[in-house]
Amino acid sequence: MKVNQAEIVISAVSEKQYPQEQYPEFALAGRSNVGKSSLINRLINRKNLARTSSKPGKTQTLNFYLINESIYFVDVPGYGYAQVSKKERAKWGGMMEEYFKNRETLRAVILITDLRHEPTEDDIQMYDYLKYFGIPVIVIGTKLDKIPKTRRYKHIKRSKKVLEMDPEDIFIPFSAETSEGKDDVWSAIRSFM
């Protein structure tokens, strides 16, 4: 997809702040520091519309990015970051749950994992949560460029196995560095529009 326009519209903490347009939405979920912002920036060919940070736990709201005035990417707070208080994590959890369960324009959740490592307990929990509530999921394994070509198949197979992925679910290996997998991500997004 050629992206001509991309902007952050609102950082929301509750339903009453969500955008009113009925554009299809794709939420990006994943561990803190797994590369959600890098994925957004690579997909829209912008250096830093979505702020990347070396400090985990920076995203604390639902950030709505309007793309080509036709779809929204919704960056949700990362999970699995220990430096955030239990109270704060519970608040994020409630905010995300409200969004995932009630948002009718949500077409799919893009679950981002780090392909170099086995999916974490939190990744498994998020995948199971989405499946339980019947929310379509696209799994993306980032940092593909960090894995030797000869070992990639093994890493992909391991990720699918650990997540116990349904065969009909989409898994895309991706690199924000090289753009590898970018067209596949857009193709998956289009299939849910």
Side-chain angles (χ1 to χ4, degrees):
M1 180 190 260
K2 187 159 173 36
V3 176
N4 301 313
Q5 176 273 338
E7 61 180 322
I8 184 159
V9 172
I10 192 164
S11 295
V13 293
S14 72
E15 219 169 340
K16 57 183 175 288
Q17 296 176 311
Y18 299 165
Q20 296 307 299
E21 308 95 338
Q22 295 298 296
Y23 298 138
E25 291 175 5
F26 293 85
L28 291 96
R31 232 173 8 83
S32 288
N33 255 22
V34 76
K36 289 182 294 162
S37 298
S38 298
L39 173 70
I40 292 171
N41 290 331
R42 179 53 76 183
L43 288 175
I44 62 173
N45 292 324
R46 293 272 282 278
K47 278 272 189 284
N48 53 7
L49 178 68
R51 296 266 181 246
T52 58
S53 169
S54 56
K55 277 169 95 180
K58 283 305 238 190
T59 303
Q60 301 184 8
T61 53
L62 300 172
N63 296 325
F64 286 79
Y65 296 92
L66 180 60
I67 314 299
N68 284 352
E69 294 185 9
S70 61
I71 68 170
Y72 276 109
F73 285 160
V74 185
D75 189 7
V76 305
Y79 50 75
Y81 182 53
Q83 306 300 80
V84 176
S85 72
K86 276 193 170 131
K87 189 177 165 193
E88 192 66 24
R89 276 201 303 253
K91 197 169 84 182
W92 292 357
M95 180 175 58
M96 286 163 63
E97 194 159 329
E98 176 184 57
Y99 174 75
F100 287 143
K101 283 177 154 176
N102 302 338
R103 192 64 169 162
E104 288 177 15
T105 48
L106 178 63
R107 294 289 178 264
V109 173
I110 298 171
L111 176 58
I112 303 162
T113 64
D114 185 335
L115 198 53
R116 297 172 302 177
H117 311 291
E118 273 192 15
T120 65
E121 272 310 307
D122 290 324
D123 293 328
I124 296 165
Q125 216 174 351
M126 179 57 84
Y127 179 80
D128 290 346
Y129 172 89
L130 297 168
K131 296 305 287 183
Y132 179 81
F133 286 105
I135 301 167
V137 61
I138 300 164
V139 181
I140 295 184
T142 60
K143 322 257 194 228
L144 178 64
D145 53 289
K146 305 273 193 278
I147 301 167
K149 283 188 165 56
T150 55
R151 312 218 27 206
R152 289 178 177 183
Y153 175 75
K154 196 170 143 191
H155 283 254
I156 293 165
K157 193 174 168 192
R158 177 183 69 182
S159 289
K160 289 178 174 181
K161 185 178 179 199
V162 171
L163 287 172
E164 295 179 11
M165 275 183 73
D166 284 346
E168 71 272 7
D169 283 342
I170 300 167
F171 185 96
I172 302 168
F174 176 83
S175 166
E177 286 295 310
T178 66
S179 288
E180 208 172 335
K182 178 180 165 183
D183 292 342
D184 295 332
V185 177
W186 276 119
S187 169
I189 288 169
R190 274 194 297 273
S191 74
F192 286 103
M193 285 171 63

